[in-house]
Amino acid sequence: MGMSVSEDSKEKRPGRSLRDIDLRAVAPFVALLLLLIVGAMVNPNFISINNLANVATRSAFIAIIAVGATFVISAGDLDLSVGSMVAFVASLMILLMNSGVVADPASMLVLAVVFTLVAGALCGLANGLITTVGKIEPFIATLGTMGVYRGLTTWLSQGGAITLREPQLQSMYRPVYFGSFLGVPIPILVILAVTAIAAFILYRTRYGRHVTAVGSNRDVAKYSGVAVNRVRTVAFVIQGLCVAIAVLLYVPRLGSTSATTGMMWELQAITAVVVGGTALKGGAGRVWGTICGAFILELVGNIMLLSNFISEYLIGAIQGAIIIIAMLVQRSLMRRS
């Protein structure tokens, strides 16, 4: 009798957990659908293809950064420096393009792209090493590097703005953000490509399984032979690469950067990850849910702009409320499981 009760409980618990996990995976997409319906009711122009394409394009920066944040958070860490990192890496990229070290504009652009990816990866590596080798809590470590990157950007710009001055580079580079391929804006294609690669890494590779294991229980992962510090450091490097890709889209849009560039983007990226169903405590990552979360944040702002119900100046407050609500929902689901 005791055996049957034990076996029944073992059979039921996974069932309840599976239902809760499925609910967390589906919830962001249900919320997105409901938001689309609300937006259509508020303003008929909201549901137009042009408006939705513009919303998706504008969400590209946060969406791509949030994909990297999904790896960091899934591994049980947190990166608060991404907004400052955007400003710093973008400043370095523009300064390089203004330097004229390569005469040919096309070669200069290729060099700038490679340089930006390397710079982003190195910034992520610095965050990872400070956290793992330095054994500093990621919250404190990245809070410190947030100040470092923002301060360096202020120093490079001398408190002003750094603007791309080369007209040939500007005209050659603008289509990366404003252009389209087969009618689809290039930033949307970049989002899909980055997300597809990230999903493959997280769900189909040994490293992805190690990220989940480290986020679930570092001690168990360590005793199972997983190189915990290496996994965590690589997650920060992936975050840095995603920041660099976001910079590659950001620079052709404005062609300028300053110490205020990327301000509060870390909050938006973390919110997109949490709204997308990834647990802030780590152990499970939902890359496609993260993209859905980024779209939700941008759609909320878009609805506020198209309606007269709520002031557009409250967008930051609404986004802050969203992450609190998302955390409360996650905690409720975890208790039920």
Side-chain angles (χ1 to χ4, degrees), residues 93-115:
M93 182 184 188
I94 294 175
L95 287 173
L96 175 63
M97 289 193 289
N98 285 341
S99 68
V101 293
V102 179
D104 179 54
S107 300
M108 182 74 256
L109 187 56
V110 171
L111 175 62
V113 168
V114 174
F115 172 81

Side-chain angles (χ1 to χ4, degrees), residues 28 73 269-280 290 322-323 326-327 330:
I73 292 175
I270 293 171
T271 303
V273 174
V274 174
V275 169
T278 297
L280 200 56
T290 293
I322 288 173
I323 192 171
M327 287 301 300
Q330 278 196 9

Side-chain angles (χ1 to χ4, degrees), residues 175-198:
V176 172
Y177 181 82
F178 293 100
S180 61
F181 180 74
L182 298 177
V184 182
I186 290 179
I188 296 178
L189 296 176
V190 174
I191 293 174
L192 295 175
V194 169
T195 309
I197 294 171

